[in-house]
Amino acid sequence: MIQLQPAIDRIRALLIGDTEQNVTYAALEARLALEKVCYDRLRQRHDYISHDQLRRWQPGAIINTLMKDVDEHIGQTLTVSIGKSPVEAGVKPEDDEYVPIGTEVGFDAKRIAKMWNALAKLALHVRLPEHKDDHIADYGDKAKTRAKVEEVVAELERLAKGTMTFSGMGEQVLFVCSCGEKNKRRAGLLRDGRHVHCINPECKITWKATKDADGFTFELVTISVDCEACNVTNHMPWRYFLDMKHDEVGSFSCHTCRHKNYVQWRLTQVRPATNDERAPRAEE
């Protein structure tokens, strides 16, 4: 787990200097510390989500994605305890005495994001001039910046009391990708039709989760392309094409004849179908 005390000590040392420059640097350290808090929660749970499916890098967005797709309890304080007595017949677990082993301190993701944004607004951006004679200050308002930094330090000190980290709770769903990588997801947060990427950063394969009576099955998401030479249909990974830029030319060798085929993203003009064309034709 991440150790926050060194960051707290650096911030407090800068605040002691109490110059505009020191307070600004303290704001930068505080912002970095907030990022590390959120990114460490991601690191602990990265086995359950592909890095490619993290659409945004901001700390608040990262935590919201994890809450939605990986661990809905990520913002809660969790404690692991062990019973003092061995399991005995007729003794209910709730009647036993427990000894705490460790705690992961929770936090409010919205509050973290709000503090992170406030530090940048107060201290880490030069103010835009409003007119020609407007003076551009070297630093932001020292008093406001210091107050916000001290608010962040108080939150960091609270979080630093944690002694354990978790990867989440709940039933796991396992599947092996075609590349050989073992993937796992939280069953309680997996939705029918959800696309999941293989966690192997070198793999471009996407899977679609389908819910059935026995749980979830996973189906390859591909695009069918006929070989120019032998006309055999090749099922290519969907993300192979999705990651291409407009007008970029890509290629693949046919799985059957090894002929090299080329593909390209292009803007194409189409004509919307009329109502008559959409209607099913009667059999003759």
Side-chain angles (χ1 to χ4, degrees):
M1 62 178 291
I2 189 172
Q3 298 298 320
L4 292 174
Q5 195 57 50
I8 294 171
D9 292 341
R10 288 194 299 269
I11 297 169
R12 289 210 172 279
L14 287 165
L15 290 178
I16 289 174
D18 201 35
T19 65
E20 290 182 328
Q21 185 180 47
N22 282 349
V23 172
T24 299
Y25 290 159
L28 175 59
E29 288 282 357
R31 199 166 191 255
L32 290 173
L34 290 177
E35 291 178 357
K36 290 176 182 177
V37 166
C38 296
Y39 295 166
D40 189 60
R41 299 291 167 107
L42 165 63
R43 184 178 66 84
Q44 299 294 338
R45 295 159 175 81
H46 229 320
D47 284 346
Y48 295 90
I49 188 168
S50 166
H51 191 76
D52 287 341
Q53 290 187 285
L54 300 171
R55 301 297 183 186
R56 297 169 61 192
W57 62 270
Q58 293 88 343
I62 290 290
I63 296 301
N64 286 334
T65 299
L66 293 178
M67 289 179 68
K68 183 180 70 173
D69 296 333
V70 180
D71 179 14
E72 60 186 333
H73 306 289
I74 193 171
Q76 300 176 14
T77 295
L78 302 174
T79 299
V80 173
S81 301
I82 186 171
K84 288 185 176 182
S85 305
V87 177
E88 296 181 7
V91 178
K92 297 180 179 179
E94 58 267 28
D95 294 335
D96 197 2
E97 291 186 62
Y98 289 86
V99 178
I101 297 177
T103 297
E104 182 178 68
V105 179
F107 59 82
D108 185 339
K110 290 183 179 179
R111 182 166 181 253
I112 292 286
K114 188 175 180 179
M115 290 190 293
W116 184 80
N117 288 322
L119 288 170
K121 183 177 180 180
L122 288 170
L124 304 182
H125 294 296
V126 175
R127 184 179 63 82
L128 284 172
E130 297 179 5
H131 50 78
K132 180 180 177 180
D133 297 322
D134 194 4
H135 172 67
I136 301 176
D138 291 333
Y139 301 102
D141 186 294
K142 188 180 77 170
K144 291 182 179 179
T145 301
R146 184 185 182 94
K148 184 58 64 175
V149 171
E150 289 177 343
E151 179 186 345
V152 173
V153 169
E155 177 67 3
L156 294 175
E157 289 179 331
R158 188 185 69 84
L159 292 169
K161 295 176 182 178
T163 57
M164 182 176 285
T165 56
F166 298 88
S167 63
M169 298 185 298
E171 180 186 355
Q172 294 183 149
V173 176
L174 302 175
F175 68 95
V176 178
C177 182
S178 302
C179 72
E181 186 76 35
K182 181 180 289 186
N183 286 258
K184 51 188 176 181
R185 295 293 186 274
R186 295 292 180 193
L189 297 177
L190 200 57
R191 302 184 300 277
D192 185 54
R194 167 79 173 172
H195 282 192
V196 295
H197 295 178
C198 177
I199 63 170
N200 179 358
E202 304 300 323
C203 181
K204 290 291 186 181
I205 292 180
T206 300
W207 298 83
K208 184 177 77 171
T210 302
K211 188 172 180 57
D212 55 30
D214 298 323
F216 282 94
T217 57
F218 294 87
E219 175 187 352
L220 279 170
V221 181
T222 61
I223 293 177
S224 300
V225 184
D226 293 339
C227 175
E228 180 186 35
C230 70
N231 207 38
V232 169
T233 299
N234 289 255
H235 300 284
M236 305 299 298
W238 173 69
R239 284 168 58 205
Y240 176 86
F241 299 104
L242 187 68
D243 291 344
M244 291 174 59
K245 298 178 181 178
H246 293 166
D247 296 326
E248 180 181 353
V249 176
S251 63
F252 69 92
S253 296
C254 177
H255 300 324
T256 301
C257 71
R258 309 309 300 168
H259 174 75
K260 194 169 186 177
N261 293 268
Y262 295 90
V263 294
Q264 182 182 39
W265 274 112
R266 287 184 177 178
L267 180 67
T268 303
Q269 185 177 23
V270 297
R271 179 178 60 84
T274 64
N275 290 333
D276 290 340
E277 291 171 331
R278 294 193 193 100
R281 295 183 178 181
E283 296 183 2
E284 295 181 356

